[in-house]
């Protein structure tokens, strides 16, 4: 889309009255509350779904590559923040053996088609948490911060300068965030050990990609129970999934040595990137944060309606069920919490209340991604049904677990309450209890013990070997530096090895295969 046309669309968005938008969102919240009370959002059984993000690279050297918009349409993927991003959303399925199989099969089927199409373009879609090799002939800092200003006419007839990020998708909502009166509410920066990058738009957030499992609760008023358990498992599951210990080499401070960068690397920089890009640096709690416990479903609805509005988007009418509360739905799109409730559905019969679990980064293989979907869903089933005592873990400790996992992955010091009510800081005891309940939840939904164990095997293997994708990457870079490579070369070598191994295992293997190969090489 031409920059002038995009600027005009952004100007139209900025013309939406913020006070009116907020009032309409609050009125929509009352519509949802009434529907919850009527049982509209209830389901006869739990339903699962998955959002899966990718980035594109050149097939020959793994440098980042912009995805042509026509190609996204051809492969049935959705655009995300950056021009290099692509997202897949699976069809909701019942949580049972067939439903999980359907989720995995759909991802593989659509991804296989996408890989075949992108291969003809000498491009590859990568499942990874944070890209590290910028486009050919460009540096990461410029790619993430480059922007232009264009003049657009506002709905009132005035001229206004609009800032457009050069490498951002042509969604007016994304670009409007840098131009609204609330723009200062977003940091638009990256702050991490030995990295400091300031942008003029939210484009730096396009460094990161994730998977987002969804779990629809059977009875909407019970959503707070599931939500509070989801907060307790956020840290432990994040620790298992960490996958972003490094940034592109040119983003590191010039005076930082390779040894310092290795020593101070966080295992999941994706968490801090999302927070520092989108949060107001002058306030304590930002929009991207670890949320507090919920007491009632009405409280969940009110939190979304009352959240700070950065961009009051225009709302079009429609025939879907959730078009009855369109301003609320729009507002939910910028309700950034690491665990968040969702209320929606295309029809009254399909209306649902669900938990969207956002801490997990994109994983090395489809099987690893499905393992997290299965574990999350199994835990939602089992912990709530058995009234597991970990829900009594102090909220502050659950939050500390989360950020400890961000920094140290499986090496993090975390606190857990086991099924017998005993508090423990022993990692093996934590994961023995956690994964046993995940398996219990799956078997209670009709999976055989063998199938439940198969889904969770990739995660059990990580616990036994104390290896995560992040620690694998960290070791790859450390070894390259010890062999004489500089930091840029070491990170690039690691990234190319990651993509190479993924090309062999993405659809039919798992990260556990990488661990086996890696251990064999060390012996």
């Amino acid at each position: 889309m031409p920059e002038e046309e995009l600027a005009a669309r952004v100007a139209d968005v900025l013309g939406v009255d913020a006070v009116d938008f907020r009032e309409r969102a609050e009125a929509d919240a009352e519509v949802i509350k009434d529907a919850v009370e009527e049982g509209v959002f209830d389901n006869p059984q739990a339903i699962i779904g998955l959002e899966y993000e990718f980035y594109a690279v050149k097939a020959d050297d793994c440098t980042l590559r912009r995805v042509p918009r026509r190609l996204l349409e051809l492969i049935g993927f959705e655009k995300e923040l950056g021009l290099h991003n692509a997202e897949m959303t699976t069809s909701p399925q019942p949580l049972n053996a067939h439903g999980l199989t359907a989720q995995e099969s759909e991802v593989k089927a659509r991804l296989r088609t996408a890989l075949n199409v992108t291969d003809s373009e000498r491009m590859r879609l990568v499942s990874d948490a944070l890209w590290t090799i910028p486009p050919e002939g460009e540096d990461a800092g410029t790619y993430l911060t480059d922007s232009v200003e264009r003049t657009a006419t506002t709905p009132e007839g005035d001229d206004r300068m609009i800032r457009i990020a050069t490498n951002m998708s042509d969604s007016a909502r994304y670009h409007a965030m840098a131009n609204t009166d609330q723009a200062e509410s977003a940091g638009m920066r990256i702050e991490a050990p030995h990295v400091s990058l300031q942008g003029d738009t939210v484009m730096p957030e396009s460094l990161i990609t994730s998977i987002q499992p969804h779990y629809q609760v059977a009875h909407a008023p019970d959503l707070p129970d599931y939500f509070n358990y989801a907060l307790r498992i956020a840290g432990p599951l994040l620790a298992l999934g960490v996958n972003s210990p490094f940034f592109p080499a040119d983003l590191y401070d010039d005076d930082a040595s390779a040894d310092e960068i290795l020593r101070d690397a966080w295992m999941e920089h994706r968490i801090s990137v999302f927070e520092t890009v989108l949060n107001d640096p002058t306030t304590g709690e930002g929009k991207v944060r670890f949320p507090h416990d919920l007491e009632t479903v009405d409280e969940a609805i009110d939190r979304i309606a009352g959240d700070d509005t950065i961009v009051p988007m225009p709302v079009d009418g429609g025939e879907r069920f959730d078009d009855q509360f369109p301003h609320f739905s729009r507002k939910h799109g910028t309700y950034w919490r690491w665990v968040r409730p969702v209320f929606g559905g295309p029809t009254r019969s399909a209306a649902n209340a669900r938990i969207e679990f956002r801490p997990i980064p994109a994983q090395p293989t489809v099987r690893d991604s499905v393992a997290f979907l299965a574990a999350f869903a199994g835990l939602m089933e089992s912990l709530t049904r058995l009234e597991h005592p970990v829900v009594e873990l102090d909220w502050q400790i659950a939050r500390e677990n989360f950020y400890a996992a961000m920094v140290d992955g499986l090496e993090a010091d975390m606190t857990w309450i086991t099924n017998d009510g005993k508090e423990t800081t022993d990692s093996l005891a934590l994961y023995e209890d956690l994964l046993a309940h995940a398996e219990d939840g799956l078997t209670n939904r009709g999976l055989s013990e063998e199938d439940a164990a198969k889904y969770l095997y990739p995660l059990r293997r990580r616990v036994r070997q104390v290896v995560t994708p992040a620690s694998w990457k960290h070791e790859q870079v450390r070894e390259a530096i010890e062999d004489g490579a500089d930091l840029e070369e070491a990170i690039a070598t690691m990234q190319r090895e990651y993509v190479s191994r993924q090309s062999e295992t993405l659809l039919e293997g798992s990260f556990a295969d990488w661990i086996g190969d890696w251990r064999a090489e060390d012996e």
Side-chain angles (χ1 to χ4, degrees):
M1 179 182 297
E3 290 169 348
E4 290 76 12
E5 182 180 343
L6 179 57
R9 288 178 52 195
V10 172
D12 288 341
V13 167
L14 296 174
V16 176
D17 183 84
V19 174
D20 180 68
F21 181 88
R22 184 180 66 249
E23 291 175 350
R24 289 176 180 269
E26 291 171 350
D28 286 352
E30 297 306 313
V31 173
I32 297 173
K33 290 179 187 177
D34 290 342
V36 167
E37 188 172 347
E38 294 171 13
V40 174
F41 287 94
D42 293 349
N43 290 282
Q45 59 182 325
I47 307 291
I48 53 174
L50 181 68
E51 296 177 53
Y52 199 151
E53 299 171 356
F54 300 82
Y55 63 78
V57 299
K58 285 180 61 182
D60 56 352
D61 63 2
C62 297
T63 54
L64 197 70
R65 180 159 173 192
R66 300 163 179 87
V67 184
R69 302 297 91 178
R70 60 167 180 80
L71 196 62
L72 276 181
E73 295 175 4
L74 184 62
I75 62 178
F77 279 49
E78 302 162 26
K79 61 186 178 183
E80 249 292 334
L81 182 66
L83 292 178
H84 54 276
N85 292 128
E87 183 181 48
M88 173 199 307
T89 301
T90 63
S91 307
Q93 299 289 342
L95 176 55
N96 54 38
H98 298 300
L100 274 169
T101 298
Q103 288 282 313
E104 184 169 6
S105 296
E106 180 180 357
V107 171
K108 287 182 177 180
R110 295 174 61 186
L111 187 52
R112 171 75 73 183
T113 299
L115 292 173
N116 289 342
V117 173
T118 53
D119 184 61
S120 66
E121 300 277 341
R122 298 179 181 176
M123 180 191 305
R124 182 169 186 87
L125 293 179
V126 178
S127 176
D128 191 8
L130 193 157
W131 57 264
T132 57
I133 307 179
E136 183 178 14
E138 304 179 56
D139 64 79
T142 301
Y143 180 84
L144 293 168
T145 60
D146 195 24
S147 64
V148 297
E149 286 190 331
R150 293 290 181 264
T151 302
T153 303
T154 69
E156 293 77 24
D158 301 320
D159 286 342
R160 174 171 181 168
M161 295 301 295
I162 301 294
R163 183 168 295 280
I164 301 295
T166 306
N167 297 301
M168 192 185 293
S169 296
D170 60 357
S171 169
R173 175 170 69 96
Y174 295 145
H175 293 275
M177 290 176 62
N179 295 282
T180 176
D181 294 338
Q182 296 294 317
E184 66 274 9
S185 297
M188 300 183 191
R189 78 201 196 289
I190 296 174
E191 290 290 343
H194 309 297
V195 173
S196 181
L197 177 75
Q198 182 65 55
D200 295 314
T201 72
V202 296
M203 179 63 187
E205 195 248 317
S206 72
L207 264 175
I208 58 176
T209 49
S210 66
I211 60 171
Q212 296 168 22
H214 289 237
Y215 176 92
Q216 296 183 17
V217 304
H219 187 48
D222 294 335
L223 183 141
D225 295 336
Y226 294 89
F227 184 89
N228 295 344
Y229 275 111
L231 296 182
R232 271 71 187 171
I233 64 176
L237 287 183
L238 173 62
L240 277 175
V242 289
N243 193 20
S244 54
F246 296 107
F247 289 93
D250 70 86
L251 295 187
Y252 286 105
D253 299 334
D254 292 338
D255 60 354
S257 69
D259 287 342
E260 290 173 328
I261 289 168
L262 280 168
R263 181 195 65 205
D264 299 333
W266 294 346
M267 292 296 99
E268 194 50 44
H269 281 300
R270 173 185 155 265
I271 299 294
S272 66
V273 168
F274 198 32
E275 293 193 353
T276 58
V277 171
L278 294 173
N279 284 347
D280 184 346
T282 65
T283 61
E285 281 194 326
K287 283 175 68 68
V288 184
R289 63 178 184 259
F290 189 84
H292 286 277
D293 287 333
L294 286 171
E295 292 186 9
T296 67
V297 68
D298 282 2
E299 183 182 11
I301 297 166
D302 287 337
R303 283 188 188 177
I304 298 170
D307 194 46
D308 290 340
T309 302
I310 294 181
V311 181
M313 291 287 293
V315 175
D316 298 323
E319 301 300 323
R320 288 170 54 104
F321 166 75
D322 44 21
D323 287 327
Q324 296 180 33
F325 41 92
H327 292 80
F328 181 95
S329 298
R330 282 287 194 185
K331 192 160 190 178
H332 181 271
T334 58
Y335 183 72
W336 299 304
R337 304 295 190 271
W338 290 114
V339 180
R340 70 180 182 183
V342 183
F343 302 87
T347 65
R348 187 178 178 89
S349 61
N352 63 86
R354 61 188 186 270
I355 304 293
E356 183 181 323
F357 194 68
R358 301 167 61 85
I360 307 301
Q363 295 296 301
T365 75
V366 171
R367 188 175 176 194
D368 291 295
S369 300
V370 174
F372 277 103
L373 172 61
F376 174 65
L379 286 165
M380 289 293 91
E381 282 288 314
S382 181
L383 298 181
T384 53
R385 176 173 52 85
L386 298 178
E387 299 182 354
H388 192 289
V390 76
V391 76
E392 300 300 328
L393 184 71
D394 186 78
W395 174 86
Q396 183 63 39
I397 295 177
R399 183 182 184 278
E400 290 170 0
N401 285 347
F402 181 76
Y403 289 103
M406 174 191 79
V407 174
D408 293 321
L410 276 180
E411 301 289 343
D413 293 327
M414 293 185 289
T415 302
W416 183 256
I417 298 176
T418 57
N419 191 51
D420 58 6
K422 295 180 180 178
E423 188 172 292
T424 182
T425 57
D426 181 78
S427 179
L428 290 178
L430 186 164
Y431 285 108
E432 180 180 355
D433 188 68
L434 183 89
L435 294 177
H437 283 84
E439 186 169 336
D440 170 76
L442 295 176
T443 56
N444 189 62
R445 298 299 305 184
L447 275 73
S448 67
E449 292 183 2
E450 180 181 358
D451 284 345
K454 180 192 72 172
Y455 279 113
L456 299 175
Y457 170 77
L459 306 186
R460 291 190 184 278
R461 184 72 183 277
R462 296 184 189 192
V463 173
R464 287 200 297 269
Q465 300 291 337
V466 198
V467 177
T468 61
S471 65
W472 180 89
K473 288 179 175 179
H474 195 272
E475 186 65 13
Q476 295 282 318
V477 172
R478 184 189 65 78
E479 290 179 354
I481 289 174
E482 288 180 353
D483 289 340
D486 62 22
L487 181 69
E488 182 176 5
E489 181 184 359
I491 290 177
T493 299
M494 172 276 293
Q495 192 66 68
R496 292 186 178 110
E497 179 65 15
Y498 180 98
V499 174
S500 175
R501 295 204 181 203
Q502 184 173 99
S503 67
E504 299 172 355
T505 57
L506 178 59
L507 296 176
E508 300 301 337
S510 76
F511 180 66
D513 301 325
W514 301 20
I515 299 174
D517 293 343
W518 187 31
R519 294 303 190 196
E521 291 169 3
D522 291 342
E523 292 175 358

